[in-house]
Amino acid sequence: MEPEPQETIQLNVPFYNQHFDFSCGPASLMMAMKYFDEHLSLTKDLEIDIWREANMVEIYGTSRFGLAYAAAIRGFCAIVTTKSDTIDFVDTVCKSISGLNLLMLKFHFCERKDRCRKMGVQERHNTITGQVIYNSLLSKHVPLVVTNTLYCGGENLPHWITITGIDENFVYFNNSLNSEPTKNKFKRSDLQEVVGYEGEQSMVEIWK
C-alpha cells in the first residue's frame, strides 16, 4: 500500500477547452505550458501546431513522445513515464491498422521518441501511482496523464487530462472536454482504474 501524501497540493493551472475531438493532448499540454508562462496565448492555431507535431499520423491521437517533443521544442522540460515499451494505443485503438499504415505509425512513434532522446527528454518505466503524481506536483511539475473518456462522460477512447492537485482522498484535474473551467476530481483509491487506457499507462510531466 502506497504512502499517503504529506500535504494537499493544488496548482492553479489555467483551463483551455479543446476545439477538436482529437486535440485533448495539445489542449492538456497548453494548460501546462500556460501555468509556467503567463504570457503564452492559448489559441486554436497553437492547438493545431502542437497537434501536427504530436499526432501519430495514422490515427489522430497524440503520443506521449509527441507531446514531450512539442513541449521541448518550445523550451519546456519534460519527462515521460510509462509502465511498458509499447507504442501508444497500437494494441487497442489501432487494432484495425496493418501493413504499410502500421509500419508508418511505428516509424513516426520511434522518430518522435528519438527526437525526444536527443533533446534530453528522459523516459522512466514505472507504474503511475498516487505517490508518483504527488512527487511530480511537489516538484512543481504539471503531469499530463492518459485516461479513458468514459470517466469524463464520453465514449470508450483514450483521453489526455492535466493533473492540477492531490490530497489524501482525491486527485484533481483539468479536462479539456469541459466547455468551461470545472474542478474535476477522482478518488485516489480509484487511481489505478482511472489512470491509463486498457492497461496502458502514460504520463508526461512538464516544467520550466
Side-chain angles (χ1 to χ4, degrees):
M1 183 176 182
E2 69 178 59
E4 297 293 338
Q6 301 291 312
E7 59 184 283
T8 296
I9 303 176
Q10 290 285 354
L11 304 184
N12 188 25
V13 179
F15 172 75
Y16 180 79
N17 170 235
Q18 67 187 76
H19 287 85
F20 308 95
D21 291 343
F22 49 82
S23 61
C24 58
S28 296
L29 175 58
M30 289 165 67
M31 289 187 265
M33 294 193 302
K34 180 70 172 181
Y35 175 75
F36 295 105
D37 181 3
E38 64 180 8
H39 301 295
L40 179 70
S41 296
L42 301 185
T43 64
K44 188 185 294 186
D45 287 343
L46 177 59
E47 185 179 353
I48 287 297
D49 282 345
I50 293 174
W51 176 78
R52 288 194 189 103
E53 297 156 1
N55 80 82
M56 299 177 70
V57 180
E58 298 303 328
I59 60 171
Y60 278 10
T62 46
S63 72
R64 58 188 187 267
F65 291 110
L67 291 177
Y69 171 73
I73 63 173
R74 289 172 173 80
F76 294 88
C77 300
I79 184 170
V80 172
T81 300
T82 182
K83 69 173 186 178
S84 72
D85 289 317
T86 60
I87 297 174
D88 294 309
F89 323 129
V90 73
D91 294 324
T92 52
V93 179
C94 310
K95 287 179 180 178
S96 61
I97 296 178
S98 61
L100 180 60
N101 291 335
L102 181 59
L103 289 175
M104 285 302 299
L105 186 153
K106 291 180 177 179
F107 171 82
H108 190 74
F109 178 88
C110 293
E111 187 267 350
R112 282 293 177 260
K113 181 177 181 178
D114 188 55
R115 287 194 182 214
C116 283
R117 180 184 57 80
K118 291 177 179 177
M119 297 186 73
V121 175
Q122 297 181 355
E123 180 185 18
R124 63 184 177 188
H125 295 271
N126 200 359
T127 299
I128 301 169
T129 64
Q131 191 65 41
V132 168
I133 290 174
Y134 172 76
N135 291 341
S136 175
L137 292 167
L138 186 64
S139 299
K140 295 297 188 289
H141 299 177
V142 177
L144 316 178
V145 301
V146 170
T147 184
N148 192 318
T149 315
L150 288 172
Y151 298 115
C152 302
E155 54 187 321
N156 181 17
L157 289 170
H159 178 59
W160 288 96
I161 58 175
T162 307
I163 303 296
T164 62
I166 193 170
D167 59 31
E168 64 178 355
N169 296 312
F170 295 100
V171 177
Y172 301 88
F173 65 97
N174 283 356
N175 176 19
S176 60
L177 283 173
N178 293 340
S179 57
E180 57 186 29
T182 304
K183 194 171 186 178
N184 304 279
K185 63 183 180 181
F186 58 85
K187 292 181 180 179
R188 288 190 74 245
S189 58
D190 294 336
L191 189 141
Q192 288 307 310
E193 181 180 357
V194 176
V195 172
Y197 181 76
E198 295 193 10
E200 298 181 17
Q201 289 188 339
S202 291
M203 180 172 82
V204 181
E205 296 174 57
I206 306 297
W207 72 98
K208 194 71 171 179

